[in-house]
Amino acid sequence: MRGNNNRKVGDIIRKLMRNPKLSEKLDKLDALQAWEEIIGKQLCKYVLEQKIFKGTLYVKLKSAVVRNELSYKKSTFVKQINKKIGKNLITDILLK
């Protein structure tokens, strides 16, 4: 005879969120989404690649002019991203 295998979806999601590896990846995805919202759709067109590694957001851009403009506001972007996700995940932004 089988045991009762009924569980609430919310309980399963909470259990999964306690996994540090999964929650870290979800935080990174939230930070990337926040970055895109902060810079806007127009500047997102110039982004070729973006990733987060060891607290640094790496952004590869098509245009040197856009890279130069964004570099002036890096510290502001870091604060905005961290505020939006509610954690101090990003420490620096590297624009290539």
Side-chain angles (χ1 to χ4, degrees):
M1 193 156 150
R2 291 186 181 177
N4 189 357
N5 201 17
N6 295 333
R7 293 185 184 148
K8 292 182 181 177
V9 174
D11 294 338
I12 294 170
I13 291 173
R14 278 188 217 93
K15 185 177 179 182
L16 286 173
M17 291 302 293
R18 282 187 234 130
N19 182 341
K21 289 183 181 180
L22 181 62
S23 63
E24 181 183 342
K25 289 187 188 275
L26 291 173
D27 289 341
K28 287 180 180 181
L29 286 174
D30 289 342
L32 290 175
Q33 184 178 7
W35 161 253
E36 290 176 0
E37 290 173 10
I38 290 167
I39 65 169
K41 289 182 180 180
Q42 293 297 322
L43 292 177
C44 279
K45 294 177 184 177
Y46 294 99
V47 175
L48 293 173
E49 184 181 337
Q50 56 192 4
K51 65 180 178 180
I52 298 173
F53 183 71
K54 292 187 179 179
T56 302
L57 172 61
Y58 295 89
V59 182
K60 188 173 182 181
L61 298 160
K62 293 179 189 178
S63 171
V65 175
V66 173
R67 183 180 69 233
N68 191 34
E69 281 296 315
L70 292 177
S71 68
Y72 292 122
K73 293 185 166 186
K74 286 192 326 184
S75 61
T76 306
F77 290 143
V78 169
K79 290 176 187 174
Q80 288 177 338
I81 292 169
N82 288 333
K83 183 178 177 184
K84 201 163 196 124
I85 64 172
K87 294 183 179 182
N88 286 330
L89 181 70
I90 304 296
T91 57
D92 193 19
I93 298 175
L94 185 66
L95 303 168
K96 297 181 193 179

